[in-house]
Amino acid sequence: MDEVKVVVAHSERATLRVGDVFLKVDTDQARIDVEVETMALAPVPTPQVLWRKPPVLAIAAVPGTALGRLGEPSTASPAAWAAAGAAIRKLHDAPLPPWRGRRRRDPDELAAELDGECELLVKNGVLPADLVTRNRQIAEAALRPWTPAFTHGDLQIDHVFVDGDEVTGIIDWSEAGQGDALFDLATLTLGHEEHLDDVIAGYGTDIDVDEIRAWWSLRSLLGVRWLIEHGFDAFAPGCEVDVLRSRL
């Protein structure tokens, strides 16, 4: 009998793996609705939905292996990273879904959220003031109007699966919707700056690298406290705090 493996679990949701089936448990049905609808619309490989019985969604495992893990060197080839860039471009060029992404913020709203988070990081002694201040300065470049694209919204490196140099599946679409294309590219390459050129080559258009770096700082600043509060280690080597330190 297949054993049950906990893939991720925190107070908002949990994902379990039983053999070749993933069971996603989420009390936020709107989030599951977005995931199911997006996988039907996205012009890239996505998992097959097997069944759904709230609060559980069952999906099939995708073939291949993850492009990498945050905090670990990626063993994927430069061509695989370029293929990921090409797949993301195909997604971004697709017709917009009819809903805003959960992570979509107007620049003023995002700036206010970021400033509040920076204040808490320093006030609570989570991060030193100079580290926060420098990364807040870098993050400013991301706080500009953008043209909405069909975005994944949480395109972490371990959400993209490859087999050799081919993308075989992109998973975890609950944050998808209209958003900033550069946020997807920055999320994928967070902690893996050495593969940014490969991704851009596959994406096939000019990219403002300073805006990618701005999103690295912005995403990391907004994520550190949430990660700590939900049992994750943002201070692990190569993870969010190291990304912030690398900007000094």
Side-chain angles (χ1 to χ4, degrees), residues 13 31 34 101-103 151-154 172-177:
R13 70 191 91 158
R31 193 155 46 205
V34 165
R102 285 174 174 265
R103 297 179 185 268
T151 57
H152 180 281
D154 191 23
D172 286 357
W173 292 85
S174 61
E175 307 291 338

Side-chain angles (χ1 to χ4, degrees), residues 65-68 84 155-162 167 169-171 188:
T65 57
L67 193 60
L155 198 63
Q156 300 177 52
I157 186 175
D158 55 356
H159 290 167
V160 179
F161 282 70
V162 295
V167 174
I170 299 177
I171 65 172
L188 179 70

Side-chain angles (χ1 to χ4, degrees), residues 9-234:
H10 50 76
S11 60
E12 294 182 4
R13 70 191 91 158
T15 301
L16 311 175
R17 180 169 187 167
V18 185
D20 288 332
V21 177
F22 285 89
L23 303 175
K24 306 191 73 169
V25 184
D26 195 327
T27 57
D28 185 344
Q29 289 308 295
R31 193 155 46 205
I32 294 294
D33 289 342
V34 165
E35 181 150 16
V36 172
E37 292 180 42
T38 302
M39 288 191 292
L41 293 174
V44 294
T46 61
Q48 177 189 2
V49 175
L50 301 176
W51 52 264
R52 180 181 179 189
K53 185 176 182 180
V56 182
L57 171 68
I59 60 176
V62 298
T65 57
L67 193 60
R69 307 284 178 191
L70 183 62
E72 301 176 9
S74 171
T75 60
S77 68
W81 281 88
I88 298 166
R89 176 66 184 274
K90 188 174 183 180
L91 175 68
H92 291 168
D93 285 346
L96 292 174
W99 60 86
R100 282 177 34 148
R102 285 174 174 265
R103 297 179 185 268
R104 172 70 186 272
R105 299 286 190 275
D106 294 327
D108 290 345
E109 181 184 358
L110 185 58
E113 179 184 358
L114 179 60
D115 288 339
E117 190 63 31
C118 288
E119 181 179 352
L120 288 173
L121 288 169
V122 175
K123 180 180 179 180
N124 296 339
V126 180
L127 294 174
D130 61 338
L131 184 64
V132 172
T133 298
R134 175 56 182 151
N135 279 276
R136 174 61 182 85
Q137 292 169 346
I138 294 170
E140 185 68 26
L143 301 174
R144 83 285 180 238
W146 58 79
T147 301
F150 188 154
T151 57
H152 180 281
D154 191 23
L155 198 63
Q156 300 177 52
I157 186 175
D158 55 356
H159 290 167
V160 179
F161 282 70
V162 295
D163 185 359
D165 299 335
E166 178 184 355
V167 174
T168 55
I170 299 177
I171 65 172
D172 286 357
W173 292 85
S174 61
E175 307 291 338
Q178 299 180 25
D180 182 0
L182 294 190
F183 178 74
D184 271 355
L185 294 174
T187 302
L188 179 70
T189 54
L190 183 76
H192 288 273
E193 185 170 358
E194 70 278 10
H195 292 294
L196 178 59
D197 287 345
D198 299 323
V199 172
I200 292 174
Y203 195 75
T205 190
D206 291 337
I207 296 294
D208 188 329
V209 176
D210 286 339
E211 290 182 3
I212 295 286
R213 294 191 176 107
W215 272 119
W216 287 339
S217 290
L218 197 157
R219 181 185 171 97
S220 297
L221 287 169
L222 290 181
V224 168
R225 279 198 321 118
W226 186 95
L227 290 165
I228 294 170
E229 291 170 0
H230 288 80
F232 300 100
D233 188 2

